Amino acid sequence: MTEDDDEVNKVIELYNTTVYNVNALNDKLIEEEHKLALSKIKAVESEIKSLFSQINKHFLINVLSSVRSLVNLKEYEKATECIENLSAFLRYSLTLENDSTIRGEIDSITHYLNIQRVRFPDISFEINCDDVVKNTLVPKVLLQPIVENCYTHGFKNKKGYIR
C-alpha cells in the first residue's frame, strides 16, 4: 500500500464517519420532533377534554328536553331562542382561548340564564357591570360556576332572583 492509498483511505474513513454522524443527528432530530409533536397532541387532547368537562352533560340533556317540550307545545319562537342561546353559550365555552373579558363572561352568563329561564320561569335575573371593567381580561368561564350554583343550591321551590 502506498502513502497515497493511506491518504485516500483516511479521507474515505472520515467521509464515512461524517455521514454516520450526520445520519445519527438526523435520527435524533426526527425522534425529538416526534416527541415534541406527541407532546403537543397530548396538550391539545387535554385542553379539549377540559373544555368538554366544563359543560355539564345533564345541563345539555335538560336543555334539549326543554326544546323538545317547547316544540311539542308549538312554542317555536321560545324553542328557537333557546337553541340560539345554547349555540352562543357553547360557542363561547368550547373555544380554546384561556382568557376572556368581563364582557365575554357576561354575554355567556346571559345566554346561560336565558336558557335556564325556559326551565325555571320563576327565577329572574339582572346583570349590572360598570363599563370601565368590561374589557378587563379574566380566566374564561370564571363566573359560570357561581351562576350554576345559584340554580343548584340557591333556590327553594325553584323561585328567586339573581343579581
Side-chain angles (χ1 to χ4, degrees), residues 24-35:
L25 286 172
N26 273 339
D27 290 345
K28 191 170 189 169
L29 180 63
I30 289 170
E31 183 181 333
E32 291 299 318
E33 287 175 348
H34 181 73
K35 286 179 183 178

Side-chain angles (χ1 to χ4, degrees), residues 101-142:
T101 60
I102 300 269
R103 181 186 322 275
E105 285 289 288
I106 289 171
D107 290 346
S108 176
I109 288 168
T110 301
H111 293 300
Y112 177 83
L113 291 167
N114 285 332
I115 293 166
Q116 292 292 48
R117 189 183 334 204
V118 172
R119 294 185 56 224
F120 307 107
D122 293 330
I123 297 175
S124 57
F125 69 92
E126 173 187 358
I127 298 175
N128 295 311
C129 181
D130 290 336
D131 288 337
V132 174
V133 298
K134 285 189 176 177
N135 291 323
T136 303
L137 284 178
V138 295
K140 195 172 85 178
V141 193
L142 175 71

